[in-house]
Amino acid sequence: MLIGVPKETAPGEKRVATVPDVVEKLVKLGFAVAVESGAGDAANFADETYSAAGATVVPTAADIWTRSDIVFKVRAPSTDEVALLREGGTLISFIWPAQNPELMQQLAARKVTVLAIDALPRQLSRAQKMDALTSMAGISGYRAVIEAANAFGRFFNGQITAAGKIPPAKVFIAGAGVAGLAAIGTAANLGAIVRANDTRAEVADQVVSLGGEFVKVDYEEEGSGGGGYAKVMSEGFQAAQRAMYAQQAKDADIIITTALIPGKPAPKLITAEMVQSMKPGSVIVDMAGEQGGNCELTVPGEAVVRHGVTIIGYTDLVSRLAKQSSTLYATNLLRVTEELCKNKEGRKDGVINVNMEDDAIRGLTVIKEGSVTWPAPPLKLPAPPPKAAAAPAAAPKGHGHGAGEPMSGKSLATVFGIGALAFLLVGLYAPASFLSHFTVFVLACFIGYMVVWNVTPSLHTPLMSVTNAISSIIAIGALVQVAPPLTGGVTDRPNALILGLAVFALALTAVNMFGGFAVTRRMLAMFRK
């Protein structure tokens, strides 16, 4: 089968649907690849590089659309391109079926199969490798910060120089999805003070992990809408959110908005009054410009200045990093193609099968051989794991002696009785020199047991318990050498070498024990909020 890659015709679009490195992999899968001449020029992929990778470079778009079995594209096709599409062919592209009902009708009339990369069910873990929305959102979030830095009048990071002190920029990011998180990480790496908000409470930890501060709305409501998106919130929540945004607008130097809900116009988060309250020279980057914008004063596709604030509404943020975004998008389409090529024999024969029993492929497929199949039925996600049964109540003290339970009084008396009898026999028949050493040995065993086995597990690892027990024995031995016992009323003084070794041993064991406790404390602190 022939995969065709036409040049993008949308104004300002610089991306291309495949790149030379991916062409080589498509050829290994058994496909032939044709690329329109000049398709990759704007992304710095020359025709010669495609030819070297095994693709055929054709002169016109008509050759691609009319001859290809499968067409890879970035933007949704225009009416003229749909008219060129070969009947019975397959198109893989961004389609946005909810926003483009007329386009869906035109494609269905051509009796084609259409896989909308934006319709991928993102809840599936194996779909991540095909998730072009995530790939593109990460790039747009990064680029939004770069555009903000370009329009901002000073450094992001704070500096103290001979000429004066420069405070760090304050960046507020509305929406902590993939694009928002990418923006948070980029702005924090540039040295800015970053604050962010999202309707989904579960992203708070992600914001903090990237160096930002999560700003919570003073209103309790869950905002997860499924599939990685947020849902439309209640009027009460929106009122509390607007109050919080108004406060942040007065303090922030840069605001980046990312809020979008699939199939709906972008919610208006930043009002004209909020823009007017911002400091002159501030910047707003509205990443939802293509869907109308999150700011009331955004002009889609343009950068304008209102009330001294630069409002950037570019709709081609991803295209401004064309080489990187084309590479990631091409890889996403390669993974989709690999899924379409799956067969029982495991062969790579360059033939696709749109398997509607596969949840990922079913979600992607919006038109199958001229029949509209969008929207896909809800996914049958696995049921959540059952809750663990409650732990059985602990047995009362004094009844049995299982793991972790103290011995009963009767058992403890028996053990001590046997021990006392053993000491009596040793004292009656063993020589005096052996008795002194035996006493030290028994005491060492007792102390070792208390040190190692009675230490709370949350304070120690087992290995550290053992090493500290050994260090304790070394410390006791060194202390005996430093301060020997009295013999006949006179203290035996150790020679200088023994005294020096004893003091050195005490120092090492002290470092080991106290260092061990310090390391354990730091390890435990990692798991505390």
Side-chain angles (χ1 to χ4, degrees):
M1 300 182 79
L2 176 65
I3 295 176
V5 182
K7 185 176 181 178
E8 296 296 321
T9 58
E13 182 57 69
K14 299 178 182 179
R15 288 174 291 177
V16 61
T18 197
V19 299
D21 287 345
V22 172
V23 167
E24 294 179 356
K25 297 173 183 177
L26 291 170
V27 171
K28 289 180 181 178
L29 286 175
F31 293 95
V33 181
V35 180
E36 182 184 351
S37 179
D41 288 350
N44 296 316
F45 295 110
D47 289 347
E48 294 77 13
T49 61
Y50 284 104
S51 298
T56 302
V57 178
V58 298
T60 65
D63 293 330
I64 295 292
W65 289 100
T66 57
R67 292 171 44 199
S68 301
D69 301 295
I70 307 166
V71 175
F72 282 0
K73 206 170 180 309
V74 179
R75 294 269 185 170
S78 64
T79 301
D80 293 338
E81 289 172 329
V82 173
L84 293 172
L85 188 58
R86 186 170 69 84
E87 188 171 321
T90 300
L91 171 66
I92 306 177
S93 173
F94 281 103
I95 298 295
W96 305 107
Q99 289 94 324
N100 297 304
E102 293 182 2
L103 174 63
M104 291 286 287
Q105 293 177 3
Q106 294 169 6
L107 290 168
R110 297 295 298 173
K111 306 296 182 184
V112 296
T113 297
V114 180
L115 277 70
I117 200 70
D118 48 273
L120 180 74
R122 304 167 81 185
Q123 303 96 317
L124 298 174
S125 58
R126 69 183 184 90
Q128 293 177 3
K129 61 185 179 181
M130 302 179 273
D131 190 357
L133 283 174
T134 295
S135 300
M136 300 302 102
I139 294 174
S140 62
Y142 171 86
R143 184 69 192 196
V145 176
I146 302 304
E147 294 292 342
N150 181 57
F152 192 47
R154 54 182 173 85
F155 297 141
F156 264 45
N157 63 321
Q159 294 187 16
I160 298 177
T161 69
K165 180 181 179 181
I166 303 172
K170 295 179 181 178
V171 179
F172 177 70
I173 296 173
V178 176
L181 292 173
I184 291 167
T186 305
N189 288 337
L190 288 174
I193 297 172
V194 184
R195 300 187 181 96
N197 167 261
D198 196 280
T199 58
R200 298 158 292 185
E202 65 268 19
V203 304
D205 289 341
Q206 300 175 36
V207 171
V208 173
S209 69
L210 289 170
E213 175 190 346
F214 187 78
V215 182
K216 194 174 184 299
V217 176
D218 189 17
Y219 194 97
E220 294 297 330
E221 183 177 347
E222 175 54 44
S224 296
Y229 295 101
K231 70 174 184 179
V232 179
M233 307 300 287
S234 67
E235 286 296 331
F237 182 93
Q238 292 181 34
Q241 187 182 53
R242 284 192 293 270
M244 183 269 290
Y245 282 162
Q247 182 180 1
Q248 292 296 325
K250 294 177 182 178
D251 187 50
D253 299 305
I254 296 168
I255 296 177
I256 298 175
T257 65
T258 70
L260 278 176
I261 298 171
K264 296 183 181 294
K268 299 300 180 184
L269 304 179
I270 307 299
T271 64
E273 290 77 13
M274 294 180 195
V275 174
Q276 196 168 3
S277 71
M278 296 179 71
K279 297 184 286 289
S282 299
V283 178
I284 296 175
V285 181
D286 193 340
M287 295 178 62
E290 197 163 7
Q291 300 299 324
N294 295 136
C295 176
E296 288 183 348
L297 302 181
T298 296
V299 178
E302 298 181 22
V304 297
V305 179
R306 299 287 185 270
H307 306 295
V309 178
T310 302
I311 304 173
I312 298 173
Y314 296 151
T315 58
D316 61 344
L317 289 173
V318 177
S319 189
R320 290 170 181 252
L321 288 170
K323 187 166 188 175
Q324 181 68 76
S325 55
S326 297
T327 301
L328 293 182
Y329 183 68
T331 303
N332 293 138
L333 294 192
L334 170 66
R335 302 308 175 203
V336 172
T337 308
E338 290 175 342
E339 292 293 317
L340 292 170
C341 284
K342 282 184 177 178
N343 53 43
K344 295 180 180 179
E345 295 79 15
R347 296 194 309 268
K348 298 177 181 178
D349 51 9
V351 177
I352 65 169
N353 173 32
V354 182
N355 180 12
M356 300 296 274
E357 300 298 321
D358 184 309
D359 287 339
I361 300 302
R362 174 64 187 88
L364 284 168
T365 307
V366 295
I367 298 176
K368 177 71 181 294
E369 297 174 356
S371 299
V372 176
T373 60
W374 183 86
L379 290 176
K380 296 180 180 179
L381 297 175
K387 294 183 179 180
K397 292 183 179 181
H399 295 277
H401 32 271
E405 296 180 3
M407 289 189 294
S408 65
K410 184 177 179 181
S411 300
L412 191 61
T414 302
V415 171
F416 272 97
I418 295 173
L421 180 61
F423 270 104
L424 179 61
L425 293 174
V426 171
L428 291 175
Y429 298 104
S433 59
F434 174 80
L435 186 60
S436 63
H437 290 294
F438 182 71
T439 303
V440 173
F441 172 74
V442 172
L443 289 174
C445 291
F446 177 74
I447 293 172
Y449 172 81
M450 296 301 294
V451 170
V452 177
W453 301 113
N454 282 358
V455 171
T456 305
S458 62
L459 300 179
H460 269 296
T461 62
L463 178 60
M464 200 170 291
S465 298
V466 174
T467 56
N468 279 349
I470 295 171
S471 298
S472 300
I473 295 171
I474 295 172
I476 292 171
L479 287 171
V480 169
Q481 295 301 322
V482 171
L486 294 172
T487 57
V490 180
T491 302
D492 294 334
R493 295 292 180 186
N495 61 45
L497 178 60
I498 295 175
L499 182 61
L501 289 174
V503 172
F504 183 65
L506 275 174
L508 288 181
T509 53
V511 170
N512 181 58
M513 287 190 289
F514 288 104
F517 279 109
V519 170
T520 304
R521 185 186 181 96
R522 292 189 63 182
M523 290 174 62
L524 292 173
M526 294 170 61
F527 298 96
R528 295 195 186 104
K529 288 188 178 181

